[in-house]
Every structure is written in structure tokens, then in C-alpha cells.
DNA sequence: TCCGTGAGCAAGCTGAACTTGATATGCGTA
DNA sequence: TACGCATATCAAGTTCAGCTTGCTCACGGA
């Protein structure tokens, strides 16, 4: 019978693209992987790897096997999740990745709540941009990804992953304190057609959305600077150098001197949790998602300082 | 991670009901099974077996695991089948069980054809009644079952098995040569309301069907004897001791002195192949089923000797 | 041409999983 | 009640799958 361990090694080679990388991922020596794969070739009766340069490529048969290996591994994971959910045991290590703002504004709360409720649970956090965390999830390097989405309606499932939007984060226009007449009042973007704009980087989602919103309000913004870090944007706005869009989480629980205004029409980004579907009922995942939901429900738009 | 081998041992205990039986099925010592299961309990973190008398019973958690083990094993088998079908290799051992008449009348042809086409294929045959061969199939003791069905329309799937009717076998009324006026002509059962009947055993399907057919023709047959073996029935009929129903296969390619008549309305049993669905595309299975279909298509009603 | 990098082979080591033989316990029976 | 049989389990020893280490080979970039 086909060895499951060998199949998983093949799977890892397919994911990472080389024997060496697969070996590192499984924390064994490259030689061991190579040996296991030649055994797997004997078991399967087909050639699975072919050399291409100094690396290896998967044959068609191997890719077929990888798909099967995925379902087999998924089935085993499902069994484990079922088992854990049956005994209601929240144990183990939950590996979370979140985009930087969430990592700062959401996760501290959630992580402390989780470890208070479940002392046996270890939570680790990495900050990754949405796209990165999705690939990390598929690589099985993390268990839970927190991603932000600006554009289309929430995907229920993408690349075999399970999305769940647990909060919306409004986007605000930040003005310098002097510039603001009615602190906290909603403003039209078109009123700022002549202002200088402090933008997120152009390749970022927020930058794109801002640009698009301005254009659909009928003007092309005068961009004074593109900065990746929200705190830089805040500083520039506070210094009176221009106006800028900021997501609520960026100013959540952090007093700013800038004047914060909702837009009319309102803009928001969606914030979602992403998991592997076979872990859906794992108690570790269940309680983490519940805690995120709780955070999302309790999340009030930031205090609007004048 | 849960060990797949251990899960399969648990599965086998669930099927066979005791550690000893599971050990025999996997051809290892009972002690090894016991040890593996205590390891599996550690891995799962739950008690899986509880002693009941001198045997063991599966806990709820264990039964949950067995279901998962089934899907995992199925996935592995599917991978192997896919692999084999990809390389079009008809190799290995095909374990067939068939009911006795089929084992005599169908399988010799089919087996010789198969081993002529695929010299690397080994075919083993057991004769089992339909019900027995289905449980054997579920126990994974055989790969292919040939069953006969008298009553309801062909089941597409039952107990997770895949049925495929590949031929119908007409039922004939056998008369003593003297008794017959028009050899080979269809007869009405009601014309034999006063005859003595040589029946299959009452608990057999054929016996049931015969009895029912007589009753729906409006009479209760005078049963002279109940015999399990068709050749005994033939002998009794030829001796002029009564009339009897016989399936076509029982007299196929074997000249009988008895006079054989189709019935009006015609009666028939259905003959089906049964496999495990995950093996559906295994080339061994594919070619065996094809060969059965071929036999079914070529199967002519037996020569009707006057 | 040289050097770094990745795959694969050979030899030896470790531990998982098996066997054998002994022990405990439930069940039927003399 | 005592005995024998059947089943599970424990303890100790054995085997071999799968790992590591150290080497070789082949490719590709400086």
C-alpha cells in the first residue's frame, strides 16, 4: 500500500518546488526525502520525479498523487479535529498571521482573551500582508489568517480556503485640526478636490480604493506623498501637509490630533478570518473565531476627536 | 499525527469484533494489535476500547474514528486505483466470489479470457451465496462479487457498494421428456397446478420466487421435494417425478434430457457484479467487469432440447 | 574555470513495530 | 467450586523502516 508519510513528502515537494525545501519544511535531511521518494516510486510503479537542471519536476502521475495526498491528509486532519472537538479540548499551538494593523489593534485583545479562557492554548502571531498570509495558510505554516479586503464582496471560499468576514472597518478622511469646521461630521470627497493628498502606496489596496473613490467623485487627487505606514500619514496630516484616508483600526484606541471624518458615501474595508476547511470544527479554531466575532461586534468606530 | 496503520487496525477490530480476529485478518499477533491500540489511545487522547467480558467494545470516540478511518482508507485505495488506471496496468490478484451456479457456468470462461488478455493478472475464485459475498466484499476479503437477485429492481448502491447488472438469466420450467408436447414452447404455470413440484429449498430465493409465481397463477403447488442442488432437481425431473423451475445458467452448456420451457409470463433473475466504489476505475476491475459484460451479451438462452 | 548548490548513493544508527512467552481475567462446564 | 479454555495485556528481545552523516555527481552562475 502507498505510504502516507511518503505521499506527504511528495506533497511538500510539490508545494515548495525542491527536495531541499521540502526536507526543511518537514525538518528531516534532504537525503531522507530523496530516499523516501525513490521508495514511493517503487510503490507506485511510476516515475514521479524528473530532473530539470539541478532541481526536480513532478511528472503527471506525481501531480495526480499530490491531489490524492491532499484529500488523504485532509481526511486525517478532519479526524483529528473531530476528535478534539468531541473532547472539547482547546490545546495545542494556534499559529495566527494578521496584516500589521490588525496585528496591532485586534490581536492583543483576542490573544489575551484566548489565553485567559484556555490556559493550555499557545498562540503565536506573525504579521503578514493578506496575500502572504493566504499562501502561508496553504503551506500549512499558519492555522488562521486575518486579512483585509477592499474590493469585491466576501469570498466564501477561495483556493480551498474558508473565509469569514467578522467585522467591517470604516475608512475615514483625516484632516488637520485647523482645517476642520465640524469635527466628526461626514464629508464629501469632492470638497477636497483642491487639497493635497497623503496616500498609501499606490500598489496598496487602500491606495487603490482612495484613488478610485476620488475619481468617482469626479477629480484626480493631487498626491503629495505616498507612505506605507499609517502613523506617517497621520503625522503628515497633523502637520497640515494634506488630507488622507485612514482605516478606523489605524486610529483605534490611539488618540490623534488630526480631525477624523466619515465619508459620504461611506467607505469601508472588510476584515475576515481565513482557515483551512478541514479545521473548521477544531475547538482551537472555533474559539479563536468566536473571539474574533466578539471583537468585531464590540468594535466601535474610533472616537472622533475634533 | 494519528497513525494510519493504527487507524486501520481499529477499523478491523470494529469490523471483526475482537482483537484476535483483527490480528488474524491483518496477519500479525494479537499482542501487536493490542499494543498499537494503546498507542492510538495516547495519540487520540481518548479511551477507545473498553473491556466487555473477555472481549473489547469500541467507545463512541472509537466509532467516530472508525468512520474517519474508512474515508482515509478509501482515499488511499482511490489513489492506488487512479495510479493503476493511469498506467493501464492489469496486475495483481483479483479475488472473486460468485454464487455456485455462476462459479461453474460463468467464471471459467471469464477467468480464462482474463488471464489470456492479462498474463500478469492472478484471479482467485470462491463460491459464496450472494449475501455472504457482499459481507466478504465489505470485509475487503474479495474484490468482486457476482450475485443473483430475484426480487426488486437492481440496486445502484447498497451499503456503500456498487452494483452493476450485467445479464439476466431466464427461469425455465423443466418437464420430463414424456410429459412435453411442444419442446421449447412457452408454458403457463397454471397448466401444472396438478403436477408434483420439485422445488429449491424454501429459504432460497428461487424457491420463494417459484412459490410466489405459482400462487399468483392461482394455485398452491404440490411440493414433492425440496433440494438445494440444481443437478438433483434435474435428475428428479428427468426421472418423471415432477416438474421444476431452473435458471438458465444451471442448464447452460450441459445437455439435459428434461424438456426445458420458458414460462408465460417470462420469469428471470438478474445477475450483477458488485465492487467497492473506490476501485471503480482500477484496471483490474475495469477489465473484469468488461469481460462479464461481454459474457452477459453473448449469453444465449440455453439450447432448448425437446 | 571554479565554486556553490541541489540531488542521490552508501554505510551505519535509532527507534517503531513485531514476536514470543508469561500473566490476568472472564466464561462455560464437569 | 474448581477446572480449562479463550481473550486481552504485559515484558523482553528482535527486526527492519527510516533517519543521519559523509560522500559523489551534475548543473549553472560568477
Amino acid at each position: 500500500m502507498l505510504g502516507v508519510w511518503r505521499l506527504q513528502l511528495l506533497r511538500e515537494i510539490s508545494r515548495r518546488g525542491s527536495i531541499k525545501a521540502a526536507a526543511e519544511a518537514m525538518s528531516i535531511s534532504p537525503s531522507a526525502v530523496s530516499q523516501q521518494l525513490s521508495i514511493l516510486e517503487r510503490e507506485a510503479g511510476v516515475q514521479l520525479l524528473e530532473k530539470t537542471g539541478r532541481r526536480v519536476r513532478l511528472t503527471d502521475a506525481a501531480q495526480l498523487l499530490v491531489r490524492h495526498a491532499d484529500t488523504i491528509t485532509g481526511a486525517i486532519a478532519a479526524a483529528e479535529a473531530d476528535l478534539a472537538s468531541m473532547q472539547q479540548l482547546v490545546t495545542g499551538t494556534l499559529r495566527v498571521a494578521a496584516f500589521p494593523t490588525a496585528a496591532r489593534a485586534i490581536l492583543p485583545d483576542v490573544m489575551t482573551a484566548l489565553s485567559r479562557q484556555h490556559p493550555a492554548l499557545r498562540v503565536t502571531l506573525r504579521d503578514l500582508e493578506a496575500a502572504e498570509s493566504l499562501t502561508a495558510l496553504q503551506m500549512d505554516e499558519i492555522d488562521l489568517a486575518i486579512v483585509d479586503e477592499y474590493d469585491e464582496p466576501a469570498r466564501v471560499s477561495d483556493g480551498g480556503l474558508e473565509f469569514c468576514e467578522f467585522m467591517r472597518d470604516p475608512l475615514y478622511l483625516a484632516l488637520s485640526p485647523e482645517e476642520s469646521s465640524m469635527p466628526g461630521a461626514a464629508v464629501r470627497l469632492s470638497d477636497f478636490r483642491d487639497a493635497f493628498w497623503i496616500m498609501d502606496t499606490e500598489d496598496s489596496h487602500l491606495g487603490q480604493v482612495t484613488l478610485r473613490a476620488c475619481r468617482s467623485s469626479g477629480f484626480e487627487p493631487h498626491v503629495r506623498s505616498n507612505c506605507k505606514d499609517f502613523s506617517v500619514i497621520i503625522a503628515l496630516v497633523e502637520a497640515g501637509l494634506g488630507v488622507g484616508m485612514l482605516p478606523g483600526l489605524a486610529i483605534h484606541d490611539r488618540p490623534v490630533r488630526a480631525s477624523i471624518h466619515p465619508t459620504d458615501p461611506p467607505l469601508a474595508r472588510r476584515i475576515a478570518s481565513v482557515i483551512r476547511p478541514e479545521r473548521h470544527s477544531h475547538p482551537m479554531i472555533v474559539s479563536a473565531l468566536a473571539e474574533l466575532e466578539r471583537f468585531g461586534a464590540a468594535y466601535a468606530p474610533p472616537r472622533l476627536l475634533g
Side-chain angles (χ1 to χ4, degrees), chain A:
Chain A
M1 201 186 57
L2 292 174
V4 172
W5 172 239
R6 289 184 257 280
L7 285 176
Q8 288 174 340
L9 291 179
L10 177 65
R11 193 171 100 107
E12 217 58 35
I13 294 177
S14 159
R15 297 248 181 299
R16 321 246 172 210
S18 82
I19 290 190
K20 183 179 201 302
E24 272 165 13
M26 305 302 251
S27 45
I28 58 178
S29 68
S31 181
V33 178
S34 179
Q35 292 171 43
Q36 289 304 307
L37 257 95
S38 57
I39 296 177
L40 185 60
E41 286 190 333
R42 273 217 323 271
E43 286 179 341
V46 205
Q47 193 184 4
L48 296 174
L49 301 181
E50 49 192 13
K51 316 189 65 152
T52 161
R54 54 184 153 191
R55 318 195 120 200
V56 288
R57 234 176 49 77
L58 300 203
T59 63
D60 289 351
Q63 309 211 11
L64 178 75
L65 270 190
V66 167
R67 284 196 295 279
H68 281 292
D70 284 336
T71 75
I72 292 169
T73 312
I76 296 175
E80 286 166 340
D82 247 24
L83 211 50
S85 86
M86 162 167 269
Q87 46 191 329
Q88 304 289 17
L89 246 184
V90 183
T91 321
T93 302
L94 176 69
R95 300 160 303 169
V96 183
F99 57 93
T101 316
R104 191 182 54 69
I106 304 181
L107 270 296
D109 271 22
V110 170
M111 286 169 70
T112 51
L114 278 176
S115 41
R116 184 157 34 237
Q117 288 168 40
H118 311 292
L121 181 66
R122 264 177 51 80
V123 184
T124 67
L125 175 64
R126 299 167 58 185
D127 62 325
L128 295 177
E129 293 303 332
E132 293 171 319
S133 61
L134 291 185
T135 65
L137 196 57
Q138 274 167 330
M139 292 288 203
D140 203 18
E141 288 167 354
I142 59 173
D143 303 303
L144 169 63
I146 314 291
V147 301
D148 53 345
E149 303 185 302
Y150 289 87
D151 316 315
E152 289 76 37
R155 290 156 290 180
V156 174
S157 148
D158 184 357
L161 299 176
E162 196 172 298
F163 286 70
C164 172
E165 175 185 332
F166 65 92
M167 63 179 279
R168 308 188 121 250
D169 189 24
L171 302 183
Y172 297 99
L173 189 66
L175 310 177
S176 74
E178 301 81 53
E179 206 164 346
S180 169
S181 47
M182 306 243 311
V187 295
R188 286 207 155 74
L189 292 191
S190 51
D191 294 339
F192 298 86
R193 56 183 348 129
D194 300 322
F196 287 114
W197 285 74
I198 317 289
M199 301 272 284
D200 202 347
T201 54
E202 275 195 22
D203 58 340
S204 75
H205 285 216
L206 180 55
Q208 290 289 329
V209 168
T210 307
L211 213 53
R212 234 179 297 148
C214 289
R215 286 176 184 155
S216 71
S217 294
F219 68 99
E220 185 74 22
H222 307 295
V223 176
R224 172 162 271 171
S225 55
N226 289 104
C227 348
K228 194 172 175 51
D229 193 323
F230 292 143
S231 55
V232 178
I233 299 182
I234 295 174
L236 294 179
V237 170
E238 287 177 339
L241 295 173
V243 304
M245 295 293 297
L246 287 174
L249 279 178
I251 49 181
H252 177 239
D253 76 9
R254 147 190 306 193
V256 291
R257 283 186 299 106
S259 172
I260 302 300
H261 299 262
T263 62
D264 175 25
L267 293 170
R269 62 173 172 176
R270 286 167 295 99
I271 302 191
S273 58
V274 195
I275 57 171
R276 306 171 133 257
E278 66 263 26
R279 301 258 172 87
H280 181 273
S281 58
H282 196 296
M284 187 166 84
I285 297 290
V286 169
S287 36
L289 294 191
E291 204 50 45
L292 287 174
E293 288 283 354
R294 206 194 51 71
F295 182 96
Y299 174 63
R303 288 173 293 142
L304 301 176
L305 306 176

